[in-house]
Amino acid sequence: MNGATAKAARKKLGLTVNELADALLLSPQNGGRKVRRWEAGDVPVSGPVAVALEAMLNGFEPEHFRGS
């Protein structure tokens, strides 16, 4: 998955950069920055993140994220 695909997935999920970072359990301090760097193509999207995004697009909702 490349940055443009990750960004499209986030937008399709209706999440902000920080909301996606929270859903992926990234640190509150740097999670949004990491997502922005993926989306800009500055760093590659890791395999586990790609799998998580694909799962979320297919209806999986992280338990810790429900009700946010």
Side-chain angles (χ1 to χ4, degrees):
M1 173 178 287
N2 64 31
T5 305
K7 185 174 186 173
R10 176 181 61 77
K11 288 185 174 224
K12 187 171 183 175
L13 291 166
L15 299 175
T16 66
V17 167
N18 289 327
E19 288 170 339
L20 178 59
D22 183 43
L24 295 172
L25 295 175
L26 300 176
S27 76
Q29 295 80 16
N30 296 314
R33 180 174 181 263
K34 186 166 203 97
V35 172
R36 283 189 294 278
R37 291 185 72 209
W38 290 331
E39 291 182 357
D42 294 339
V43 294
V45 178
S46 69
V49 169
V51 170
L53 281 172
E54 193 65 37
M56 291 170 71
L57 286 170
N58 287 311
F60 174 77
E61 186 175 336
E63 187 173 311
H64 69 278
F65 199 62
R66 293 183 186 143
S68 294

